[in-house]
Amino acid sequence: VAFREGKFSESEQWLRRAYEKFRDGEIAAHLAEVLIALNRREEARQVLVGHGEKATNPQLVRDALKRFFNQ
């Protein structure tokens, strides 16, 4: 909800907490999207690439890389 309201910093805080706890590919993709909205593209790419190495659903991470970075 915070993301849709344009509260990107708040979204980042919530997603980082969730990601630290669950390390889920979908959370990583959402975190990357927030980081891109905050103009932190390289950090977003690093989240996805770093997560992809241990992803339970690597397709989610590959899809996010394609969508955000054309990789």
Side-chain angles (χ1 to χ4, degrees):
V1 172
F3 181 80
R4 290 183 184 155
E5 293 176 351
K7 299 175 184 176
F8 302 131
S9 294
E10 183 181 334
S11 298
E12 179 188 7
Q13 292 172 7
W14 284 108
L15 287 165
R16 284 206 184 270
R17 282 187 221 140
Y19 186 65
E20 286 175 15
K21 193 170 186 174
F22 298 108
R23 292 295 214 203
D24 180 75
E26 189 167 355
I27 297 170
H30 287 300
L31 177 57
E33 186 173 17
V34 167
L35 292 170
I36 289 168
L38 291 167
N39 293 316
R40 292 163 45 196
R41 290 184 64 78
E42 183 55 31
E43 190 176 347
R45 191 185 67 73
Q46 289 174 2
V47 166
L48 292 171
V49 169
H51 184 80
E53 296 169 357
K54 54 190 170 279
T56 54
N57 187 346
Q59 189 60 47
L60 264 172
V61 176
R62 284 193 295 269
D63 290 346
L65 281 167
K66 281 182 188 176
R67 187 172 69 223
F68 300 136
F69 300 100
N70 296 320
Q71 288 184 345

